[in-house]
Amino acid sequence: MPRELKNAKEIKAYFQAEAAKIIEEAAGEPIRTFENTREFEVMTKYGRMRASTHDTFIACRFDRRNLASSILSGMSSKWNHHAFKIGTVGHGFDYVDRVLEQFKNEFSRIEPRKWETYDVQITEDYLKETGIEKLRDREALGERFVIEGFNPTEAAAEIVAEVTDTHGERPDWLINSVRDKLASESPLEVYDSYRKWREINPKPDETPAIRM
């Protein structure tokens, strides 16, 4: 590791790169990288956490606040780690190393590891009996619910095909935004989105397209 950091920009870049190494060692490769920022999905003993590295802080957010409430404050799901206060950038390499060591210790306490899921097939009746909030807690711990008789790909396509803005128009940005959001969601969340969509936009007949 270089011991000469000439200015604040180098110090911040060093912090960001080293923070990413700490997370990657436990969680594996980032799920996306844009500019110098890397975003990770991390499994912890409190459920899934999203973490991204920035030049002055590490942004962390748990999927389910109730699972991580013992280490969080307020009503937020955020568990952020800020590196610099006013005037501390100039403290240099040793200061950054201390901040990184503190983060590494805190990070290890949540037992970080690679995010992995496994499919669990359920019925709509089981979903209704159990409640979606309890199933969301379980998804944050790695289960991925596949609902019997429900095709999330076809359901998402129906929503995308029908969505309009407040003027009844279908701009590309809106279609792409809805498509991307649904594509990133679990079958359980697509099911919930589709159910709510049909409450507002009912169809007179059953929709065979979403049935397996």
Side-chain angles (χ1 to χ4, degrees), residues 7 14 23 29 39 49 54 79-80 113 155 164 168 200-201 204:
N7 54 44
Y14 173 78
I23 301 172
E29 294 291 322
E39 184 178 354
M49 183 184 78
H54 305 264
W79 190 60
N80 295 342
R113 54 200 181 276
T164 64
I200 300 170
N201 305 279

Side-chain angles (χ1 to χ4, degrees), residues 1 14 16-26 38 40 53:
M1 297 183 199
Y14 173 78
Q16 188 170 9
E18 293 300 310
K21 289 179 184 177
I22 292 171
I23 301 172
E24 189 170 326
E25 185 177 356
R38 298 177 187 179
F40 299 85
T53 54

Side-chain angles (χ1 to χ4, degrees), residues 160-200:
V160 170
E162 297 175 26
V163 68
T164 64
D165 63 17
T166 54
H167 304 291
E169 303 294 331
R170 287 173 48 80
D172 288 344
W173 69 264
L174 176 61
I175 294 171
N176 292 334
S177 176
V178 172
R179 181 185 291 117
D180 291 347
K181 180 178 183 297
L182 291 169
S184 68
E185 289 184 339
S186 70
L188 178 68
E189 295 303 334
V190 176
Y191 175 91
D192 190 52
S193 295
Y194 187 82
R195 179 184 60 80
K196 291 174 180 175
W197 177 261
R198 284 292 166 236
E199 286 177 357
I200 300 170

Side-chain angles (χ1 to χ4, degrees), residues 5-62:
L5 296 174
K6 297 178 181 178
N7 54 44
K9 185 176 181 180
E10 289 183 25
I11 292 171
K12 290 178 179 180
Y14 173 78
F15 165 77
Q16 188 170 9
E18 293 300 310
K21 289 179 184 177
I22 292 171
I23 301 172
E24 189 170 326
E25 185 177 356
E29 294 291 322
I31 57 173
R32 62 179 63 88
T33 301
F34 42 100
E35 294 183 352
N36 295 322
T37 300
R38 298 177 187 179
E39 184 178 354
F40 299 85
E41 282 185 316
V42 187
M43 172 57 86
T44 80
K45 67 179 180 180
Y46 303 109
R48 182 168 65 169
M49 183 184 78
R50 306 292 179 100
S52 58
T53 54
H54 305 264
D55 63 357
T56 62
F57 72 107
I58 304 162
C60 301
R61 181 189 289 272
F62 288 96

